[in-house]
Amino acid sequence: MADDNSSNPQSHGFAEKLKSWLSWSWTYVCAVWFAMVLTMVYVLRSPLKLQESVTAASMFLNTLTPKFYVALTGTSSLISGLILIFEWWYFRKYGTSFIEQVSVSHLRPLLGGVENNSSAGLFSSANGEVEQRPSVSECKVWRNPLNLFRGAEYSRYTWVTGKEPLTYYDMNLSAQDHQTFFTSDTQQLKPEDSVMQKAWRERNPQARIRAAYQAIELNHECAAAYVLLAEEEATTIIEAERLFKQALKFAGKDTNLLVYIKRRLAMCARKLGRIKEAVKMMRDLMKEFPLLGMLNIHENLLEALLELQAYADVQAVLAKYDDISLPKSATICYTSALLKARAVSDKFSPEAASRRGLSTAEMNAVEAIHRAVEFNPHVPKYLLEMKSLILPPEHILKRGDSEAVAYAFFHLQHWKRAEGALNLLHCTWEGTFRIIPYPLEKGHLFYPYPGCTETADRELLPSFHEVSVYPKKELPFFILFTAGLCSFTAMLAMLTHQFPDLMGVFVKAFFSTLFAPLGFFADKMENFMPSCLWYQLTRI
């Protein structure tokens, strides 16, 4: 097939030139056609009896009664209302306007428009990846792999702005995580463990800190207490790192504590600029505890590698975790899109791409962007800074606005660093919504978009943040036009019924003004046409 397409490039180029020439010359063809119509009207002025027709039309309008106008406007309102109902039903079922679809599918090619047959290749996955899930998707809340430190980051935001970046629902989820994460079900609770169980449930931050010190008084080797102090009392990352190192000394063989502390120590190193050290700590942690993939430590590793601009290592991590059998995330999908966009974005031009078509690398980049946007459609507005960012929550909902905030908060700088990547995203991301089957019970590359994300995101995100809702398809122009036409004709029908005489005078004056130019045009044609050379030649 590829050989057949490449064997006749001359014929393909000739066809493209011919189509572009036809599109360019269409304006002039319309002008010639309009001139021919004017000439035909003049030549046939006698058989058509144009002047007499205008006079007869004026007499006919003068004889019409108000009842006719009432019936006319009422019938017009009824017909436009029926069209509106049909258009709305078609849009609800198929996600597009029937009139618009007919215009684009049948009339646009005749008018020289470019058919979009080749776009199907842009939107189909290169490896045919389609993720099948149950029709009813459960909105599961996940721990944010890159959540900030409460004392050193969230609290500082509150001091500066006076706003609470975390909701009670989000903090309550964290308390439940800590209770189950730092206490084994099999072991008997020690006194300090009982104190820490209560400490995690305390709503007041100062009460939690006091409880942590009480646990340390009971046992100065209580690692969980030092974790709480590092998270909530430390006002700087350096102080938090010191407390985590102290907690690491007393963690013993508790796997959950070891993983949590080492991960937070790696995040401290990342925040303090020791990126290579952070990468090594994350790699060692993943090798030491390979079965804890649910903690998504690879997402921390991807972000640190992007900061190092080690794109080959990023690709190696994606090759392992961007697998059809593994759950996806915004970090996985958008990082894959970033790598592919980075390869072509520095030289990408929408104008050049529309003229010559997309290259293979550009097509792969567009496919990756469409895939990422379908997974989480909220991210582009944050990356393109069309919507302001806030501090990410401690828990996220995959494919939701909370995940989009968390991803963009840490990865916006990486997109900005790749020259032209945001421009490519800006030019292509909205095309995703034209290819996703409608209604939302269907999907394209992923399982259908969950309908419960908005409710869960409103619980996770603070009240001062405007929660992003799935970008619904906007009403087509023809539905709005038909609605306006129906309303306008209905108003005319009502006015004509209430004030028949006044509306009759108005309509007669309107039509008299409308037909007056025809008589003026006929008089002008009588004087103009005999002087034309073409007219003289046709008389010979």
Side-chain angles (χ1 to χ4, degrees):
M1 182 68 69
D3 294 336
D4 295 341
N5 293 337
S6 60
S7 61
N8 55 352
Q10 295 181 351
S11 61
H12 179 71
F14 175 76
E16 291 296 329
K17 290 182 179 179
L18 179 61
K19 183 176 291 187
S20 62
W21 181 83
L22 290 176
S23 301
W24 172 78
S25 62
W26 186 253
T27 304
Y28 301 97
V29 173
C30 292
V32 172
W33 177 82
F34 186 69
M36 292 176 62
V37 170
L38 294 181
T39 305
M40 189 64 66
V41 170
Y42 174 75
V43 172
L44 299 177
R45 67 188 186 284
S46 297
L48 291 176
K49 299 181 180 179
L50 187 61
Q51 192 70 34
E52 292 82 350
S53 300
V54 173
T55 305
S58 301
M59 294 177 60
F60 173 73
L61 291 173
N62 292 328
T63 59
L64 294 177
T65 62
K67 293 183 179 179
F68 170 80
Y69 298 115
V70 174
L72 177 64
T73 53
T75 305
S76 302
S77 178
L78 176 63
I79 295 175
S80 58
L82 293 176
I83 296 175
L84 174 62
I85 294 173
F86 174 76
E87 279 281 287
W88 178 253
W89 169 82
Y90 194 89
F91 172 74
R92 293 287 296 176
K93 187 172 183 180
Y94 300 105
T96 186
S97 164
F98 175 77
I99 301 175
E100 184 176 351
Q101 185 181 31
V102 171
S103 302
V104 172
S105 302
H106 301 286
L107 298 181
R108 185 180 178 185
L110 298 177
L111 298 177
V114 180
E115 295 187 14
N116 206 20
N117 297 333
S118 61
S119 62
L122 301 179
F123 306 141
S124 59
S125 176
N127 56 2
E129 177 183 341
V130 178
E131 188 171 336
Q132 299 293 335
R133 291 294 176 90
S135 57
V136 179
S137 302
E138 180 183 1
C139 287
K140 182 179 179 180
V141 176
W142 298 73
R143 182 81 175 181
N144 182 6
L146 296 170
N147 64 304
L148 304 177
F149 294 87
R150 286 191 184 178
E153 293 173 305
Y154 287 120
S155 295
R156 295 173 70 89
Y157 178 84
T158 303
W159 298 339
V160 174
T161 65
K163 298 178 180 179
E164 290 290 342
L166 298 176
T167 64
Y168 173 71
Y169 175 74
D170 191 17
M171 292 190 290
N172 186 50
L173 290 175
S174 297
Q176 296 175 16
D177 293 340
H178 294 147
Q179 290 180 66
T180 57
F181 203 67
F182 296 140
T183 304
S184 176
D185 295 334
T186 58
Q187 69 179 9
Q188 185 178 2
L189 288 180
K190 300 177 182 179
E192 63 270 19
D193 294 330
S194 299
V195 173
M196 289 307 300
Q197 285 280 359
K198 296 179 181 179
W200 298 121
R201 293 195 296 266
E202 289 286 350
R203 296 188 61 175
N204 190 308
Q206 296 302 321
R208 290 195 293 269
I209 293 173
R210 286 195 299 269
Y213 278 114
Q214 181 182 353
I216 293 176
E217 290 177 359
L218 294 173
N219 181 6
H220 72 282
E221 295 185 355
C222 181
Y226 289 104
V227 168
L228 189 147
L229 294 177
E231 291 285 354
E232 303 204 28
E233 187 185 40
T235 57
T236 63
I237 300 299
I238 295 177
E239 187 179 354
E241 185 181 38
R242 180 185 61 81
L243 288 170
F244 274 122
K245 287 181 178 179
Q246 195 168 357
L248 185 61
K249 295 179 182 179
F250 308 131
K253 297 182 179 180
D254 191 326
T255 302
N256 290 340
L257 265 175
L258 285 173
V259 173
Y260 186 92
I261 294 172
K262 289 184 177 181
R263 180 181 193 163
R264 296 303 261 178
L265 282 172
M267 295 176 69
C268 287
R270 162 68 182 92
K271 293 175 183 292
L272 293 174
R274 308 194 305 268
I275 314 298
K276 292 184 178 180
E277 179 185 343
V279 168
K280 184 180 183 303
M281 295 174 68
M282 293 172 190
R283 290 189 184 277
D284 293 342
L285 193 58
M286 294 168 65
K287 290 179 182 178
E288 188 177 357
F289 304 99
L291 299 180
L292 295 179
M294 66 182 69
L295 299 178
N296 298 320
I297 302 175
H298 59 275
E299 296 195 9
N300 299 84
L301 179 60
L302 284 172
E303 196 279 326
L305 290 173
L306 286 172
E307 181 64 22
L308 290 176
Q309 301 185 45
Y311 296 110
D313 293 335
V314 173
Q315 185 60 56
V317 176
L318 286 177
K320 181 178 180 181
Y321 289 95
D322 192 6
D323 186 83
I324 189 173
S325 61
L326 297 176
K328 299 294 183 293
S329 66
T331 301
I332 292 292
C333 294
Y334 278 90
T335 302
S336 177
L338 173 60
L339 292 187
K340 293 181 179 179
R342 176 180 167 273
V344 298
S345 58
D346 57 337
K347 299 179 181 178
F348 177 79
S349 171
E351 295 78 11
S354 62
R355 288 195 304 268
R356 58 172 169 78
L358 294 177
S359 64
T360 302
E362 290 173 338
M363 190 176 297
N364 291 336
V366 172
E367 284 180 352
I369 290 175
H370 284 317
R371 172 178 178 262
V373 175
E374 181 181 348
F375 181 83
N376 193 317
H378 310 285
V379 173
K381 285 191 175 182
Y382 293 107
L383 292 181
L384 297 172
E385 298 182 87
M386 301 167 63
K387 191 173 181 183
S388 58
L389 273 171
I390 61 170
L391 295 186
E394 292 184 336
H395 289 80
I396 59 174
L397 183 66
K398 287 192 175 183
R399 308 188 73 179
D401 189 32
S402 52
E403 184 191 34
V405 169
Y407 172 80
F409 185 86
F410 294 99
H411 288 261
L412 175 59
Q413 58 180 334
H414 306 314
W415 280 82
K416 286 184 174 181
R417 187 180 293 122
E419 182 181 356
L422 289 176
N423 177 49
L424 180 59
L425 176 67
H426 175 73
C427 295
T428 56
W429 76 278
E430 290 181 318
T432 305
F433 307 119
R434 293 194 294 268
I435 63 173
I436 297 178
Y438 192 86
L440 298 181
E441 283 75 15
K442 302 177 182 178
H444 183 61
L445 297 175
F446 296 98
Y447 58 94
Y449 188 84
C452 56
T453 54
E454 180 182 356
T455 303
D457 279 332
R458 293 190 185 279
E459 295 287 340
L460 291 173
L461 296 169
S463 58
F464 58 83
H465 173 71
E466 182 182 355
V467 175
S468 175
V469 183
Y470 181 87
K472 297 179 175 60
K473 295 176 181 289
E474 296 181 356
L475 288 177
F477 165 76
F478 285 103
I479 289 185
L480 300 176
F481 174 78
T482 308
L485 180 63
C486 178
S487 303
F488 178 71
T489 53
M491 181 184 66
L492 285 181
M494 183 185 66
L495 291 175
T496 307
H497 183 266
Q498 293 294 328
F499 311 102
D501 297 331
L502 180 61
M503 292 300 293
V505 173
F506 171 77
V507 171
K508 291 175 182 178
F510 173 76
F511 279 106
S512 299
T513 307
L514 180 64
F515 285 115
L518 294 179
F520 175 78
F521 167 73
D523 296 337
K524 289 296 183 182
M525 290 291 287
E526 289 284 350
N527 300 327
F528 172 74
M529 290 302 293
S531 62
C532 295
L533 177 60
W534 176 83
Y535 177 79
Q536 297 295 338
L537 292 175
T538 55
R539 300 285 292 181
I540 297 177

